[in-house]
Amino acid sequence: MCMFGLFMFLFKAGDKDLDGQLDFEEFVHYLRDHEKKLRLVFKSLDTKNDGRIDKQEIMQSLRDLGVNISEQQAEKILKSMDKNGTMTIDWNEWRDYHLLHPADNIPEIILYWKHSTIFDVGESLMVPDEFTAEEKKTGMWWRHLVAGGAAGAVSRTCTAPLDRLKVLMQVHASRTNSMCIAGGFTHMIREGGMWSLWRGNGMNVIKIAPESAIKFMAYEQIKRLIGSNQETLGILERFVAGSLAGAIAQSSIYPMEVLKTRLALRKTGQFSGIADCAKQIFRKEGMAAFYKGYIPNLIGIIPYAGIDLAVYETLKNSWLQRYATDSADPGVFVLLACGTTSSTCGQLASYPLALVRTRMQAQATIEGGPQMTMSGLFKHIVKTEGAFGLYRGLAPNFMKVIPAVSISYVVYENLKMSLGVVSR
């Protein structure tokens, strides 16, 4: 790295208040923060806990990431950092070599803190995963996506009754027709039997694969357009790229969202299946019906993804600062707590938009009901039901978060092992 390039990197990384000036306090803060991250990586590589990294530890570390190197290649890596000729790297040599090199996001932390593929709560607005260069090169990324998709399918199926109850309460509950949780379940079972609790779940599961694939591909392309030369993006860049990728994916599969809502609301015998539902909607309402509620759904991506990502990153960084003395591995319960909290906050912020979207998707199913625009529906709900009306169905929605996160995590971890995904 030339001296000018090194200076520009330090300037951009250290200028926290973006005032175009790098003062001494900002520089010291950068060095301390960077050194802490380097110590985490050093300790994770030093598996023998002897304060030194040898070639076997380097080879094993890279093997865990899916990269196999020879002893000669490991020796070259050692020689590039070894100053005293011992063919091992101590903390001072490691720090001196890496301290002024760009490393904002460490692969180890990424591996442990995977978020969106693990925590599937039935929503489709999360920011896609970051994958290391090694994971992309070795094909581990698609195994993560397959495991995440399958885990999402299982968790959504297990929590489908709560999801259908949420949709019914969003559309039919009001001041004059208060639908409680027990009453809602009783109504569904009386109307269509026990299996009716899973109406709409088939489409909810089917749309996981195309949406995840489109979102991942769009995310990777947008990252290139942003022009970042780092392996992973900063939180603001990740939010922008993730939101745009989510918008592209949602636009591509949105008709499936409408079908899922209509199938969840259908009465016994109304449709013979997904194809029949699509045909009837197209015949009676035209192609435009498959994009009802599209605008509030698109707008809802911003508060959901932004708050979910911000809360998760805040909790993650807080844990790393306080407790990550020996490893960046937070453990299962910390991950579940962070994922559940961030997802809940994201849903709470975007819920009114989700409710309006669902009502717009369902307007044609209510006989004699007015066909309102997004703003008109907001005004109507607030006027007739109050601000509380924008949160109909929130209780069953939150009730499914903890079981959905727990189930998807357990299934994800087991599928990862079956697919040969190596974790530290």
Side-chain angles (χ1 to χ4, degrees), residues 45-63:
L45 293 173
D46 182 20
T47 55
K48 297 176 184 176
N49 295 317
D50 59 359
R52 293 181 176 275
I53 301 171
D54 59 30
K55 66 182 178 182
Q56 295 299 328
E57 289 171 324
I58 289 177
M59 291 172 68
Q60 182 59 49
S61 174
L62 291 173
R63 195 177 298 123

Side-chain angles (χ1 to χ4, degrees), residues 353-379:
L353 286 161
L355 180 137
V356 169
R357 173 203 66 193
T358 304
R359 287 207 180 180
M360 290 180 73
Q361 291 172 343
Q363 280 183 130
T365 64
I366 303 173
E367 294 183 10
Q371 302 297 304
M372 298 184 188
T373 61
M374 180 181 74
S375 58
L377 199 50
F378 262 115
K379 291 175 184 176

Side-chain angles (χ1 to χ4, degrees), residues 59 178 180 187 226 256 288 345 353 391 424:
M59 291 172 68
S178 60
C180 64
H187 168 76
I226 288 175
M256 291 184 176
C345 291
L353 286 161
Y391 290 89
R424 295 190 182 200

Side-chain angles (χ1 to χ4, degrees), residues 6 62 69-70 89 95 112 150 161 197 209 238 274 280 299 306 314 331 371 373 386 415:
L6 176 59
L62 291 173
I69 62 171
S70 64
I89 308 166
R95 180 196 58 203
Y112 284 133
L197 299 177
R238 193 171 179 219
I274 295 172
Q280 289 196 39
I299 297 172
T314 300
Q371 302 297 304
T373 61
L415 283 174

Side-chain angles (χ1 to χ4, degrees), residues 311-419:
V311 172
Y312 190 76
E313 288 293 318
T314 300
L315 293 172
K316 178 185 81 172
N317 291 332
S318 177
W319 188 91
L320 288 171
Q321 290 293 324
R322 293 186 182 185
Y323 305 109
T325 54
D326 298 313
S327 171
D329 184 2
V332 175
F333 292 110
V334 173
L335 279 176
L336 292 179
C338 291
T340 302
T341 303
S342 63
S343 297
T344 302
C345 291
Q347 288 185 75
L348 188 62
S350 64
Y351 194 83
L353 286 161
L355 180 137
V356 169
R357 173 203 66 193
T358 304
R359 287 207 180 180
M360 290 180 73
Q361 291 172 343
Q363 280 183 130
T365 64
I366 303 173
E367 294 183 10
Q371 302 297 304
M372 298 184 188
T373 61
M374 180 181 74
S375 58
L377 199 50
F378 262 115
K379 291 175 184 176
H380 174 74
I381 293 170
V382 173
K383 183 179 179 180
T384 58
E385 304 176 44
F388 179 77
L390 295 171
Y391 290 89
R392 299 282 181 191
L394 188 64
N397 189 62
F398 279 175
M399 284 172 65
K400 72 174 185 173
V401 170
I402 293 177
V405 167
S406 304
I407 292 167
S408 58
Y409 182 85
V410 171
V411 176
Y412 177 78
E413 288 299 312
N414 281 280
L415 283 174
K416 266 203 324 181
M417 289 188 284
S418 300
L419 291 170

Side-chain angles (χ1 to χ4, degrees), residues 152-170:
V154 174
S155 70
R156 291 185 188 195
T157 300
C158 292
T159 58
L162 285 168
D163 193 63
R164 188 182 178 219
L165 177 61
K166 176 195 75 173
V167 173
L168 287 173
M169 292 177 74
Q170 285 178 331

Side-chain angles (χ1 to χ4, degrees), residues 48-282:
K48 297 176 184 176
N49 295 317
D50 59 359
R52 293 181 176 275
I53 301 171
D54 59 30
K55 66 182 178 182
Q56 295 299 328
E57 289 171 324
I58 289 177
M59 291 172 68
Q60 182 59 49
S61 174
L62 291 173
R63 195 177 298 123
D64 290 341
L65 288 171
V67 178
N68 292 307
I69 62 171
S70 64
E71 287 193 19
Q72 290 77 13
Q73 290 171 314
E75 286 175 1
K76 285 183 179 179
I77 294 173
L78 278 175
K79 286 178 181 177
S80 67
M81 290 179 266
D82 180 25
K83 292 181 180 180
N84 53 19
T86 61
M87 287 307 291
T88 60
I89 308 166
D90 61 23
W91 161 242
N92 290 327
E93 290 171 329
W94 172 268
R95 180 196 58 203
D96 292 345
Y97 181 83
H98 288 286
L99 191 57
L100 299 180
H101 287 221
D104 287 338
N105 293 283
I106 301 168
E108 183 200 10
I109 295 177
I110 296 170
L111 284 171
Y112 284 133
W113 289 89
K114 288 283 185 187
H115 177 37
S116 59
T117 42
I118 298 176
F119 306 114
D120 190 304
V121 292
E123 302 298 327
S124 310
L125 310 176
M126 286 181 167
V127 176
D129 272 317
E130 293 275 20
F131 292 104
T132 63
E134 289 80 8
E135 285 176 314
K136 293 173 187 173
K137 188 175 181 180
T138 59
M140 285 294 175
W141 64 271
W142 69 262
R143 299 185 189 185
H144 278 287
L145 290 180
V146 169
V154 174
S155 70
R156 291 185 188 195
T157 300
C158 292
T159 58
L162 285 168
D163 193 63
R164 188 182 178 219
L165 177 61
K166 176 195 75 173
V167 173
L168 287 173
M169 292 177 74
Q170 285 178 331
V171 175
H172 297 300
S174 64
R175 277 180 175 172
T176 56
N177 178 30
S178 60
M179 183 183 292
C180 64
I181 293 173
F185 278 122
T186 302
H187 168 76
M188 287 189 287
I189 294 171
R190 281 178 180 171
E191 194 278 329
M194 189 64 72
W195 285 111
S196 69
L197 299 177
W198 278 266
R199 283 180 186 168
N201 181 60
M203 181 54 67
N204 201 25
V205 169
I206 290 171
K207 69 186 178 74
I208 292 175
E211 184 176 23
S212 298
I214 294 169
K215 189 186 290 185
F216 174 74
M217 290 186 290
Y219 186 63
E220 290 300 308
Q221 291 302 316
I222 293 167
K223 278 173 65 176
R224 293 189 182 96
L225 290 174
I226 288 175
S228 174
N229 59 357
Q230 297 185 30
E231 188 174 290
T232 57
L233 302 179
I235 185 169
L236 182 59
E237 292 174 312
R238 193 171 179 219
F239 165 65
V240 172
S243 296
L244 290 173
I248 292 169
Q250 283 285 293
S251 299
S252 303
I253 60 95
Y254 192 74
M256 291 184 176
E257 293 280 357
V258 176
L259 284 172
K260 177 233 172 185
T261 299
R262 293 292 185 90
L263 288 165
L265 292 169
R266 79 182 188 270
K267 296 177 181 177
T268 302
Q270 187 175 355
F271 306 121
S272 61
I274 295 172
D276 182 53
C277 178
K279 286 178 184 176
Q280 289 196 39
I281 293 173
F282 181 74

